[in-house]
Amino acid sequence: MTQNPHRFHAAIVDLDGTMVDTMGDFAEALNRMLADLRLPAIAPAAIEDMVGKGSEHLLRSVLRHVLAQEGSEPTAEAIEALYPQAWERYQHHYLAINGQYSRVYAGVEQGLSQLRAQGLKLACLTNKPLGFAEPLLQAKGLRGYFECVFGGDSFERKKPDPLPLVRTCAALGSEPAGTLMIGDSSNDAQAAQAAGCPVVLVTYGYNHGRDIREVPARAYVDSLAQLDGVVAEPVPGNV
């Protein structure tokens, strides 16, 4: 593919913590699941550091947390014994409430509209299962901005592995160097760096309890509405 090396041609946008604050959805679905398993509830503040590495990691982290609350260090065997029922109940509840306890961050639609107006192709790439991601984007009125949507189960590996970004660039028909990754966490930054995509990180969202400015990035924005200036700059290495 032949592209102008001095400008961006596409952007890949993360979902949870970047476009939509889904902490309310996570808390509601997880606590309904825990109630089904007759386990204690988990506070939303405890969930935030567990989000971002896929639903499998989230569920195992939650089970480890609540089992530890009961007074003993949970073994891997104890967690795995509960996992199949936990996943089935979590999936059931999440699909039932998907989007009802979440909100789109201010500036998201403006930012996506600006990117489209500049001629960029857009893809949403999330570690959330695709069956959760598509309905959420539809419910929040965001699906129409994207040529394609990929979830944590769309490829063999998840972010921070670079494979999902490389495959998403291929789907968009863009070179990684001309494709901007927009996310909220070190997972997004690590995947982008390994794939060869410049990355912009939002200053809100979920970054495993770390200050996002500790993570190297091309730029940091307080709102996706600020992306216009970032995209207008020359692509790195082609100044």
Side-chain angles (χ1 to χ4, degrees), residues 3 15 35 59 121 152 183 190 199 203 230:
Q3 298 176 346
L15 179 51
L59 282 187
K121 293 182 178 180
Q190 290 171 28
V199 63
T203 55
V230 176

Side-chain angles (χ1 to χ4, degrees), residues 115-238:
L115 295 176
R116 292 295 298 265
Q118 292 205 26
L120 274 69
K121 293 182 178 180
L122 302 182
C124 175
L125 174 62
T126 173
N127 278 348
K128 181 190 289 298
L130 185 61
F132 293 174
E134 283 274 16
L136 179 61
L137 289 168
Q138 292 285 0
K140 298 304 181 184
L142 301 176
R143 180 61 181 88
Y145 289 102
F146 299 100
E147 272 78 13
C148 48
V149 177
F150 298 112
D153 50 359
S154 295
F155 307 110
E156 300 94 309
R157 297 185 292 278
K158 300 178 177 65
K159 298 177 291 182
D161 193 282
L163 175 70
L165 272 74
V166 172
R167 295 275 185 86
T168 302
C169 287
L172 290 170
S174 62
E175 298 286 354
T179 304
L180 192 65
M181 176 70 215
I182 302 160
D184 70 313
S185 76
S186 57
N187 282 338
D188 299 308
Q190 290 171 28
Q193 181 180 20
C197 297
V199 63
V200 171
L201 297 171
V202 299
T203 55
Y204 51 87
Y206 323 132
N207 186 41
H208 323 298
R210 288 181 56 199
D211 182 349
I212 194 63
R213 292 183 183 272
E214 296 176 4
V215 181
R218 174 178 170 85
Y220 308 90
V221 295
D222 299 323
S223 164
L224 293 197
Q226 298 173 356
L227 286 170
D228 215 21
V230 176
V231 173
E233 298 172 4
V235 171
N238 295 288

Side-chain angles (χ1 to χ4, degrees), residues 25-42 47 50 55-64 66 79 82-94 97:
D25 284 352
F26 287 129
E28 184 68 21
L30 286 167
N31 279 319
R32 290 187 186 191
M33 175 269 289
L34 291 169
D36 289 347
L37 271 59
R38 294 182 172 82
L39 290 170
I42 185 170
I47 299 167
M50 306 174 187
S55 294
E56 298 88 349
H57 176 270
L58 174 61
L59 282 187
R60 288 185 170 94
S61 298
V62 168
L63 290 172
R64 186 176 298 108
V66 297
I79 293 168
L82 287 171
Y83 183 83
Q85 185 183 5
W87 170 246
E88 188 276 324
R89 298 316 297 159
Y90 176 68
Q91 186 175 39
H92 170 81
H93 291 304
Y94 201 102
I97 60 91

